[in-house]
Amino acid sequence: MSRGRLLGGALLLIFAAAPFVPMGGVQQYVLHVAIQIFIWSFIGQAWSLMGRFGLVSLGHGAFLGVGAYTTTLLWNFYSLTPWIGALLAVAASVALAVVLGIPCFRFRVIGHYFALVTLAVGEVIRLLIIAERDWTGGSLGASLKTAGTASGLWTLQFADKRVFYYASLGLFLAGLWVWDRVDRSMARSALEAIGEDETAAASVGIRVTRFKLGITMVSAALTALGGVLYAQYISYVNPDTLSGIGVSLKIVFAVVLGGMYSLMGPLVGTALTTALAEGLRIAFGLKFLGMADTIYGLLLIIFIIFLPSGIYGSIREALRRRTAGVRS
Amino acid sequence: MDPIFLVEAAINGILLGGVLALLALGLNLIFGVLDIVWIAYVDLVMLCMYAVYFFNVAFGWPIWAAGLVSLAAGALLGVGVHLLIISPILTGAPINQLLATGGLLFFLQSAATFLWTTDHKTVRLSLPSYEIAGIFLPATRIIPFAISILAVIALYFFLTRTYIGTAIRAVSQDRDAMSLMGASPQRIYIVTSAVGGLMAGLAGALLIFQYSVHPFFGGQFGPLTFMICVLGGLGNMVGAFIASFIMSEIIAIGGVVISTEMGYVIAFVIFIVMMFVRPGGILAKRE
């Protein structure tokens, strides 16, 4: 364990110092990729909080879209600071989670059915954003109004990418902390029992609906925060990139690829898919549109068939088996 | 609003419902037997539509021959998906099967983008349009509707009157009992996947009459098809048939009265509410 901590500390130092390493012209690009990885890993962690307990949601785009659009529209129309906007965004997202969660868990919508209901919710949010085009910009999306000279901490708009780098790194670490807290809590055992067999869990006195609703609310809140930061960074929101089936599946797959049962799985998965997409884009340019995602899709199928616990999860399992072998 | 628009929308809804029924029945057949939702089902339809497009437009085959190619392609794809993706993980966690076909969805969408770009491709057919009492009925909608109803009837007879069809229904009722009777489920699975793929091929050949094909075609009909299957009751063929028409009517009439997006929103919200009220589907008896 101490070796693990040492490695973690070293990695953290590298991450913290990265923006000050002189990289010349590529620095902006490296920072951009790193910010994307941190934000999407954070969203992946939020998803895996539910996914690891068998609550497979295919509609996390709904929470992401609600988060990103709430702050962006409040800023654009009422010049409301994103600090309050983010609070409202999280509140809206949690409210959506409750409205969806209570009937879902009361009526025992589980497994395939839960996946399909959440998928429908994601599509509903996407279609509502498109339908309300008068103020959301419809399928063309909406740009965040620039703060101009007022940019800074109050408006959460920064010209310097380093600020966003640290913000996304901080959020990512906070996500790790939440994941770890859940992992060590009683709720984890309860939720695992629920994931195995709801009736059995209820029969030993576990409050099934309450635990499931709780973890769904936490997951929705974190996903909305990720959406807020992403919208502030990109300063553009679009219904297709922030809600609906496409982005929901992207979140799920990055986590599955990395491993949804492990702390670092979402980071490994997101880093790998981002690196693959960026690498292929640099290597081939836009000439081979879709090439990166083709390889990505193929990898996903192969991984789900041969390594169901993901890359990081499988490596960890293999290491654990080896150390266990040495000891015995 | 002129009531004639509503009547026209209702008729268009019925015509769309016929083709949706084909999609829903194909997916539902696979679900009933294998207990797996192929998330990528409509993307297989998309590949079949490309097959029709290429054979008809690029190679100059007549449309019916291109349609037959599409049927064959669909059946082959169905068997391929089963043997390559589903078969190895059939005994694994159910959610992995869902995710594996989700990976296939990604693969097919992006492979189609890579190979054929995102351009919308259309088969140009010059077919007449009929006018009855002020309502226009284009043949590009009537012919697919008629063929899909015939196909649904054929599927019904296949499942009820043939030996293999009976076996398929038996597996969908109780998988373990079938193997105890000495039958091999593996063969039934392959036949089911082939028939499901065949339905996808037929749906592709019919959808290209009305819609242009592009790599993201699956996103247009995919969610809707799952909703219909669940609404009708997963594995329940009659329920899926009825649900197709309910959903297509909501979308068609909602689209005219409010807007296309709101038509879909209403359909999806009804689906979500129905999941709470009647999780077993519209035909299920309440417990």
Side-chain angles (χ1 to χ4, degrees):
Chain A
M1 196 60 222
S2 64
R3 208 199 305 172
R5 278 215 183 138
L6 216 63
L7 194 70
L11 266 178
L12 204 60
L13 257 170
I14 295 172
F15 282 149
F20 295 100
V21 176
M23 281 180 280
V26 291
Q27 176 160 36
Q28 292 297 310
Y29 173 72
V30 171
L31 281 184
H32 173 70
V33 172
I35 293 168
Q36 303 255 0
I37 291 176
F38 286 136
I39 294 179
W40 288 105
S41 305
F42 173 74
I43 295 166
Q45 284 164 351
W47 180 87
S48 75
L49 281 177
M50 287 171 73
R52 60 183 294 213
F53 300 119
L55 284 168
V56 173
S57 152
L58 296 184
H60 257 50
F63 304 126
L64 199 64
V66 166
Y69 269 86
T70 306
T71 43
T72 304
L73 294 179
L74 284 173
W75 167 253
N76 278 5
F77 287 101
Y78 303 108
S79 300
L80 188 72
T81 168
W83 288 102
I84 301 173
L87 278 179
L88 293 173
V90 169
S93 180
V94 170
L96 178 65
V98 170
V99 169
L100 169 72
I102 288 180
C104 255
F105 302 142
R106 272 277 158 81
F107 293 107
R108 289 247 177 142
V109 177
I110 51 171
H112 292 317
Y113 295 93
F114 184 72
L116 290 174
V117 166
T118 49
L119 189 142
V121 173
E123 281 297 292
V124 165
I125 296 292
R126 184 180 75 91
L127 289 164
L128 281 176
I129 293 171
I130 295 175
E132 296 297 317
R133 52 178 65 78
D134 290 341
W135 44 287
T136 58
S139 50
L140 293 176
S143 295
L144 194 68
K145 207 172 63 185
T146 60
T149 50
S151 64
L153 209 54
W154 179 247
T155 54
L156 275 185
Q157 291 185 22
F158 305 97
D160 193 346
K161 273 196 169 61
R162 276 178 298 191
V163 182
F164 281 108
Y165 177 83
Y166 284 117
S168 57
L169 179 61
L171 201 62
F172 168 72
L173 291 174
L176 285 186
W177 181 76
V178 172
W179 205 95
D180 191 55
R181 275 299 294 266
V182 172
D183 198 49
R184 287 161 190 264
S185 68
M186 276 293 285
R188 178 209 170 168
S189 319
L191 283 163
E192 270 177 355
I194 293 169
E196 296 273 322
D197 188 336
E198 280 200 8
T199 317
S203 73
V204 294
I206 296 172
R207 293 178 137 160
V208 175
T209 307
R210 180 187 278 203
F211 274 112
K212 283 169 97 174
L213 196 62
I215 199 76
T216 309
M217 284 160 72
V218 172
S219 176
L222 295 182
T223 310
L225 269 185
V228 169
L229 184 63
Y230 185 75
Q232 291 299 321
Y233 172 58
I234 299 286
S235 64
Y236 167 71
V237 284
N238 181 298
D240 289 313
T241 54
L242 285 169
S243 66
I245 185 172
V247 68
S248 302
L249 284 178
K250 261 192 181 149
I251 297 171
V252 179
F253 288 146
V255 179
V256 170
L257 201 63
M260 70 164 127
Y261 303 103
S262 43
L263 181 65
M264 288 296 171
L267 176 68
V268 172
T270 312
L272 196 76
T273 52
T274 311
L276 187 70
E278 292 293 319
L280 287 167
R281 199 167 62 87
I282 293 166
F284 298 112
L286 291 175
K287 203 167 36 173
F288 293 134
L289 202 66
M291 172 84 146
D293 279 337
T294 309
I295 296 174
Y296 177 33
L298 203 61
L299 278 178
L300 272 170
I301 301 172
I302 293 170
F303 266 91
I304 293 164
I305 294 175
F306 296 106
L307 291 178
S309 41
I311 299 176
Y312 181 79
S314 301
I315 292 173
R316 213 178 48 159
E317 270 167 34
L319 279 178
R320 200 171 277 169
R321 220 174 294 139
R322 224 178 60 187
T323 40
V326 169
R327 266 184 215 145
S328 60
Chain B
M1 189 189 298
D2 198 341
I4 195 100
F5 288 119
L6 279 183
V7 177
E8 199 168 64
I11 291 172
N12 277 331
I14 293 173
L15 295 178
L16 174 67
V19 185
L20 283 181
L22 211 57
L23 286 173
L25 290 180
L27 187 63
N28 223 356
L29 180 72
I30 294 166
F31 182 85
V33 173
L34 285 144
D35 205 17
I36 293 173
V37 181
W38 285 15
I39 293 279
Y41 189 72
V42 185
D43 296 86
L44 300 181
V45 174
M46 178 265 294
L47 285 188
C48 295
M49 289 172 78
Y50 271 113
V52 177
Y53 170 80
F54 281 114
F55 276 90
N56 181 253
V57 175
F59 304 153
W61 289 29
I63 188 77
W64 58 268
L68 289 179
V69 171
S70 164
L71 283 181
L76 280 177
L77 283 170
V79 174
V81 168
H82 179 75
L83 289 181
L84 295 176
I85 298 172
I86 304 296
S87 201
I89 52 172
L90 195 59
T91 50
I95 211 62
N96 280 350
Q97 297 150 358
L98 194 79
L99 292 175
T101 56
L104 181 68
L105 178 151
F106 242 64
F107 173 70
L108 293 180
Q109 273 187 0
S110 34
T113 311
F114 174 55
L115 290 172
W116 305 309
T117 73
T118 50
D119 297 347
H120 288 232
K121 295 194 161 55
T122 338
V123 170
R124 291 192 197 291
L125 295 168
S126 50
L127 289 170
S129 195
Y130 307 101
E131 192 194 333
I132 299 161
I135 296 166
F136 281 97
L137 295 173
T140 49
R141 288 181 180 220
I142 294 174
I143 295 172
F145 176 77
I147 295 177
S148 45
I149 293 299
L150 286 177
V152 168
I153 294 169
L155 180 70
Y156 177 78
F157 281 114
F158 169 73
L159 286 176
T160 52
R161 299 293 155 85
T162 62
Y163 182 75
I164 189 93
T166 313
I168 287 176
R169 283 187 303 134
V171 173
S172 73
Q173 277 172 12
D174 195 327
R175 204 187 288 192
D176 299 325
M178 252 314 257
S179 8
L180 288 175
M181 301 295 151
S184 142
Q186 182 64 20
R187 222 185 94 221
I188 304 293
Y189 293 160
I190 291 177
V191 174
T192 308
S193 303
V195 175
L198 202 69
M199 303 290 273
L202 184 59
L206 298 177
L207 279 167
I208 201 148
F209 278 63
Q210 306 167 42
Y211 298 94
S212 53
V213 58
H214 52 97
F216 301 100
F217 184 83
Q220 206 172 330
F221 281 95
L224 192 60
T225 309
F226 312 136
M227 307 295 132
I228 290 172
C229 285
V230 179
L231 195 64
L234 281 168
N236 185 334
M237 302 302 262
V238 182
F241 187 73
I242 297 169
S244 316
F245 288 96
I246 296 176
M247 287 298 238
S248 64
E249 280 301 326
I250 295 170
I251 290 166
I253 294 180
V256 172
V257 177
I258 317 170
S259 68
T260 314
E261 292 90 12
M262 287 313 279
Y264 276 90
V265 167
I266 295 167
F268 286 173
V269 169
I270 287 177
F271 159 76
I272 295 169
V273 173
M274 282 301 287
M275 278 308 296
F276 302 143
V277 188
R278 249 155 210 259
I282 42 175
L283 291 186
K285 290 195 183 75
R286 297 198 79 165
E287 286 173 22

